[in-house]
Amino acid sequence: MAKGKTFAAKLAHEKAKKEKELCPVCGAEIKTIQVIKNNNKKGKWSPKKQIVQLCKCNEKEVLG
């Protein structure tokens, strides 16, 4: 069975791109970050990890 990619491997793959992605709205560089949110299922809390593209446009929504 194949081993799943770790976050570090996914991040290294993203950084291997030669071109930097720029946001079409604000023109800032788009960064890849990992966000951990609380997930409530049937009265039990568990963390949910997501990989998010971040720029100046959505910085306040994601980090706030």
Side-chain angles (χ1 to χ4, degrees):
M1 187 173 203
K3 185 178 177 183
K5 280 188 176 180
T6 64
F7 175 70
K10 290 178 186 178
L11 192 59
H13 177 68
E14 287 292 324
K15 288 193 178 246
K17 293 181 181 178
K18 294 190 179 189
E19 285 186 23
K20 293 183 179 179
E21 256 185 274
L22 298 178
C23 177
V25 178
C26 67
E29 182 182 347
I30 297 176
K31 299 176 186 176
T32 304
I33 64 168
Q34 184 177 25
V35 178
I36 301 174
K37 295 183 177 182
N38 289 329
N39 191 13
N40 187 3
K41 287 187 179 179
K42 299 179 183 177
K44 295 183 180 180
W45 292 94
S46 62
K48 182 178 181 184
K49 297 179 183 178
Q50 294 178 330
I51 296 178
V52 179
Q53 301 291 326
L54 184 70
C55 72
K56 289 187 180 184
C57 297
N58 64 353
E59 185 176 22
K60 289 183 180 177
E61 295 171 8
V62 174
L63 299 177

